Amino acid sequence: MKITELLFFFMLFTSVNPAQTKDFDFSSPINIKKFADFLFCDRDYLRAALEYERLISSEVKDTLLFKIALSYSIIGDYPFAIKYFGKIPYSSSYINEAQLELIKTHYLMNDYYGVRSFYNNSFIKEANKYQLEGNKLFNFSYLFTKDELPSKEKFLSPFNLSEKDEISEYYDWKQDPLYKSSTIAGIMSAIIPGSGKMYVGEIGDGIVAFITTTVFSFIAYDNFKAGHNTRGWIWAGVAALFYGGNIYGSVAAAQVHNAKITFEFNDGLNVFLQKNNYYTPAYGFCDEK
Amino acid sequence: MVFVMKSNYIIFLIILFECTLFAQNSFDEQFNLTKKLYSDENYFDTVTELKRLLFFNPNSEYIYSAYETIGKSYKQGAKFSDAIRYFTLAEINALSVDEIYNSRIDIIRVNILRRTTDRAFKLLDSLEADIRFNDKIDEINYWRGWAFIFADDWENAAVTFAGIDSTIELTVLAKKVDDDLYSVSFAKTISYIIPGAGQIYTGEYISGLLSLGWNILWGYLTIKSFIDERIFDGIVIANFLWLRFYRGNLQNAEKFAKEKNLIISNKAMNYLQFEFKGLKP
C-alpha cells in the first residue's frame, strides 16, 4: 500500500515538476567561471574573455582581470589588453606580471617608444619582480628604432651569458648595418655600367648590364663609323635606354638590398623575442592539478 | 524489514530520477536557445551556448547535434578548420549511420569550400567505397561534381553531373563553362607558329597585332643583317630584340588565356553563389 502511495505521489510530482523546475543555473558566477576557465584552456580566448567579463560586476578579482587581459593580448586586441592589465591594482599579486605583460603588449603593437616610456615611468617604480626581464626588453627596443644605441657594455649587461653572443651580434649588426648606398650604386653604374649592381652583390646582373650596354654602344659607334647615321642613332637610343636602365636598376637594387637587410634584422629579433616569450613567465593556468 | 529496504530503495531512485529530470529540462531549454540563436544567424553566440551546454552536460543526448551545429556555425563564419574539427567530433559521437554520413558530407563540403579539393575527393571515394552508403551514390556524385567545379575542372564536373538525373541545370552550366574556356596550350602553340595568334584567339586583337608587328620588324632586321653579312648585328638583334619579343608573345598568349578563363570561371561561380537555388557547399 505504501509503495503504491509513494508511486502515486511520484507520478503526480513528476507530472507537475517541469513547470516548477528550478533550472540548472548556467549564469551563476561559479558556473560562468568554470566555463570561462574551460574556454581559456581550450584556447578559445575571445569567448573566455567575454565570459570572465560577465563576472566583473559580481566579483572583481585580479586573477579575472589578468586572464581577461591575457586573452585579449593573445588574440591581438591590444587596446583591450592594455585596458585590463592597467586595471590590475597595485596591491595585487599579479601586478609584476601585469607590468611585464604591458611591456610585451607595447612590443606586439610595434610601439617601441611606448615600451621605453612605460618602462621608465611605471615599470621601474611599480614592479618588484622581473626588473631584469624588463631591462632586457627596454634595451631590445633600441634595436628596433633609429635612436642612438647605449654603449655595448650597458646594452648587454642584463642578458645571460648564453644570450650575450647572439645579442652582441644583433648589436653589431645594428651599429654597422650591411646597407649599401643607393647613391654610390648609381654613380658607380654611371661610370662603369653594371658596377653598381656588383657593388650591391648582384654580380650576374652586373655582368649582363655591362655586356648589353657595351655591346649596343659599340654597335652604335660601329654604325656611325661606317656612315650609317640613321642606324647609328637607333642603336645609340637603344644603348642609352640600357645605360639609363642600368643606373636606375642599380639604385633600385641598393634600396631592395637595404629593405631586405632591415626585414631580416627585424625578423630575427622578433623570432628571438617570441622564442623567449618576451621574457614573460609561464603562468600555468591550465596545468593539470 | 525487506519492505522497508525496498521503499528506501524506491525513494532513492525517485530522488535520483528527479535530479536527472531537473537537469534535463534546463539543458533542453539551453539547446532550444541555441537553435533559436542559429536560426537568427547569431553564429558566435550559438557556438558559445553550445559549448556551454556540452561543458556542463558532456554526455547529453544532444551531443551529435551540438557538435554539428557548432561546426555549421564556424563554417558560416568562414572558420573552416574549426568547422572541420567539430564536424569530426560530431562524426565520432554519431549514433546512427545517417549521422555518420551527414558529418562526413559536412566535412567534404567544407573541404570543397576552402578548395582543399584533393581531400574532398579522397573522402568522397571512401564514402563511395563504403557499402553502408550504397543508396547515397547520387548525392556523393553531386558533391563530387561540386568538388570538380571548385578544382576548376568544369569538364569532369559536367560529366559527373550528367550522371545524376536531378542536376540538369548544373550539367548545362558546367558544360557551357567548359565550352567557353580557352585552351591555354592551344593559345601558346599557335603563338609559337604565328606570333600574336594566341592573343587574337583570346580576343586581344590589338595586343596580338602589335606582337605580330614587332616580331615581323625584328625578324626582318635580323634576316636583313645576315643577308648583308652584318653577322654581329644580326646576332645582337636576334638575341636582344627578336627573341625578347617572340618570348613575350608566348608569355602574353598564356597570360591572356588564363585571365580570360578566370573571368569565365568567376562569372559561373558568381551565378552559383547568388542565383543557383539548389544545395551548395
Side-chain angles (χ1 to χ4, degrees):
Chain A
M1 184 64 188
K2 267 189 175 178
I3 292 175
T4 320
E5 279 173 11
L6 213 59
L7 278 172
F8 171 75
F9 282 116
F10 163 67
M11 297 293 280
L12 187 71
F13 186 66
T14 50
S15 61
V16 177
N17 195 29
Q20 307 170 329
T21 299
K22 189 183 171 190
D23 284 344
F24 176 86
D25 191 0
F26 287 105
S27 298
S28 72
I30 187 141
N31 285 337
I32 293 173
K33 170 84 170 46
K34 277 184 190 170
F35 181 53
D37 285 342
F38 158 73
L39 290 170
F40 186 87
C41 295
D42 199 36
R43 299 184 177 191
D44 192 345
Y45 294 109
L46 177 57
R47 286 190 178 81
L50 295 173
E51 290 296 314
Y52 285 130
E53 279 178 333
R54 289 175 68 192
L55 294 170
I56 287 178
S57 53
S58 60
E59 51 173 326
V60 179
K61 280 189 178 170
D62 47 1
T63 316
L64 281 186
L65 291 172
F66 190 74
K67 279 184 164 182
I68 294 171
L70 212 53
S71 300
Y72 281 123
S73 176
I74 292 168
I75 61 172
D77 194 340
Y78 303 124
F80 270 92
I82 287 176
K83 178 183 156 191
Y84 280 102
F85 280 129
K87 277 186 177 179
I88 291 173
Y90 290 116
S91 55
S92 163
S93 58
Y94 282 105
I95 186 64
N96 300 310
E97 286 78 5
Q99 295 274 315
L100 194 62
E101 285 288 345
L102 276 166
I103 296 186
K104 176 183 171 181
T105 310
H106 283 296
Y107 257 106
L108 293 170
M109 293 169 78
N110 297 329
D111 178 14
Y112 306 111
Y113 293 102
V115 168
R116 274 180 245 161
S117 144
F118 179 77
Y119 177 82
N120 285 325
N121 298 331
S122 180
F123 189 84
I124 290 178
K125 298 170 200 160
E126 313 295 351
N128 298 321
K129 275 170 76 181
Y130 308 118
Q131 283 296 335
L132 197 66
E133 285 79 1
N135 198 356
K136 286 179 187 179
L137 290 171
F138 175 79
N139 283 0
F140 242 109
S141 70
Y142 282 96
L143 296 176
F144 286 99
T145 62
K146 289 180 178 171
D147 295 350
E148 194 183 336
L149 287 169
S151 70
K152 194 169 183 178
E153 193 185 348
K154 190 179 170 193
F155 185 88
L156 293 176
S157 62
F159 294 99
N160 312 329
L161 271 177
S162 58
E163 294 170 323
K164 271 188 178 159
D165 284 346
E166 196 173 350
I167 305 294
S168 175
E169 272 180 38
Y170 282 119
Y171 183 91
D172 294 338
W173 194 352
K174 183 72 181 176
Q175 280 283 46
D176 184 20
L178 303 169
Y179 290 148
K180 302 285 182 184
S181 161
S182 52
T183 313
I184 292 174
I187 291 169
M188 283 178 75
S189 278
I191 298 165
I192 304 170
S195 61
K197 289 212 171 195
M198 289 186 202
Y199 157 72
V200 173
E202 295 181 3
I203 308 292
D205 276 10
I207 293 169
V208 170
F210 178 77
I211 292 173
T212 48
T213 313
T214 312
V215 164
F216 285 120
S217 303
F218 173 75
I219 296 172
Y221 164 77
D222 198 41
N223 275 287
F224 280 126
K225 199 179 161 189
H228 303 305
N229 285 342
T230 311
R231 283 212 296 261
W233 281 114
I234 291 171
W235 290 116
V238 173
L241 275 175
F242 273 89
Y243 178 73
N246 133 73
I247 296 172
Y248 173 80
S250 299
V251 172
Q255 288 172 346
V256 169
H257 171 85
N258 293 345
K260 194 177 158 205
I261 293 280
T262 306
F263 174 81
E264 282 175 1
F265 179 75
N266 287 341
D267 194 47
L269 288 178
N270 282 322
V271 168
F272 182 88
L273 285 170
Q274 281 161 16
K275 203 169 68 182
N276 289 289
N277 198 21
Y278 294 82
Y279 295 105
T280 53
Y283 301 113
F285 288 128
C286 299
D287 292 348
E288 299 268 333
K289 285 173 187 167
Chain B
M1 186 63 185
V2 172
F3 182 76
V4 172
M5 281 286 281
K6 272 189 177 171
S7 44
N8 284 344
Y9 183 65
I10 289 166
I11 289 165
F12 171 74
L13 281 178
I14 289 168
I15 292 166
L16 189 72
F17 188 71
E18 287 302 307
C19 291
T20 317
L21 197 70
F22 281 142
Q24 282 266 321
N25 288 332
S26 56
F27 292 133
D28 277 346
E29 280 173 22
Q30 177 74 3
F31 188 62
N32 289 334
L33 168 72
T34 63
K35 281 203 269 191
K36 188 180 179 309
L37 287 169
Y38 186 80
S39 66
D40 289 347
E41 301 183 0
N42 189 346
Y43 302 117
F44 183 87
D45 288 344
T46 305
V47 172
T48 308
E49 296 312 322
L50 281 169
K51 282 188 175 183
R52 197 190 308 276
L53 175 68
L54 289 169
F55 176 69
F56 289 110
N57 193 11
N59 301 313
S60 74
E61 67 205 73
Y62 321 110
I63 191 159
Y64 168 80
S65 303
Y67 280 134
E68 190 198 29
T69 312
I70 292 176
K72 283 181 178 171
S73 302
Y74 273 130
K75 184 181 164 192
Q76 292 290 346
K79 300 262 186 190
F80 295 135
S81 297
D82 288 321
I84 286 183
R85 180 184 163 205
Y86 279 92
F87 284 137
T88 307
L89 285 168
E91 186 189 336
I92 291 166
N93 289 283
L95 296 172
S96 67
V97 173
D98 275 349
E99 286 182 350
I100 293 172
Y101 176 77
N102 288 336
S103 317
R104 289 196 192 167
I105 287 292
D106 280 333
I107 293 169
I108 288 164
R109 289 168 73 174
V110 175
N111 275 299
I112 292 172
L113 212 52
R114 66 175 187 180
R115 287 186 188 259
T116 46
T117 45
D118 284 347
R119 180 77 189 135
F121 284 127
K122 274 183 192 164
L123 292 170
L124 285 162
D125 289 345
S126 77
L127 270 187
E128 195 175 11
D130 195 326
I131 52 165
R132 289 176 298 174
F133 310 124
N134 277 351
D135 58 332
K136 312 267 191 191
I137 294 298
D138 272 1
E139 197 184 338
I140 292 168
N141 280 332
Y142 180 79
W143 294 118
R144 185 174 278 122
W146 273 98
F148 278 125
I149 288 177
F150 275 73
D152 217 21
D153 184 351
W154 295 87
E155 187 183 356
N156 274 320
V159 172
T160 309
F161 286 130
I164 310 166
D165 295 334
S166 56
T167 54
I168 297 164
E169 188 185 356
L170 288 171
T171 312
V172 171
L173 178 83
K175 192 158 185 345
K176 185 178 180 310
V177 173
D178 186 48
D179 290 343
D180 289 347
L181 288 175
Y182 293 99
S183 162
V184 177
S185 54
F186 178 71
K188 276 181 84 174
T189 308
I190 58 172
S191 274
Y192 271 114
I193 301 162
I194 305 169
Q199 289 94 311
I200 291 169
Y201 161 66
T202 57
E204 295 289 333
Y205 300 110
I206 295 172
S207 172
L209 290 173
L210 277 173
S211 192
L212 181 66
W214 281 117
N215 277 284
I216 289 172
L217 174 68
W218 299 121
Y220 166 76
L221 286 177
T222 304
I223 292 162
K224 191 168 184 306
S225 299
F226 282 119
I227 290 170
D228 292 348
E229 294 185 351
R230 287 180 287 109
I231 306 301
F232 186 71
D233 279 14
I235 291 170
V236 169
I237 296 170
N239 191 36
F240 290 110
L241 296 167
W242 190 15
L243 283 180
R244 181 245 171 273
F245 278 92
Y246 187 72
R247 192 160 164 263
N249 139 71
L250 297 175
Q251 286 173 336
N252 257 359
E254 185 180 8
K255 190 181 120 193
F256 286 139
K258 282 182 177 170
E259 278 177 5
K260 289 288 165 74
N261 285 348
L262 194 63
I263 291 168
I264 293 165
S265 301
N266 282 349
K267 197 176 160 195
M269 292 298 249
N270 201 49
Y271 169 81
L272 289 171
Q273 185 175 359
F274 297 109
E275 291 177 48
F276 178 66
K277 302 291 179 207
L279 264 180
K280 303 170 210 175

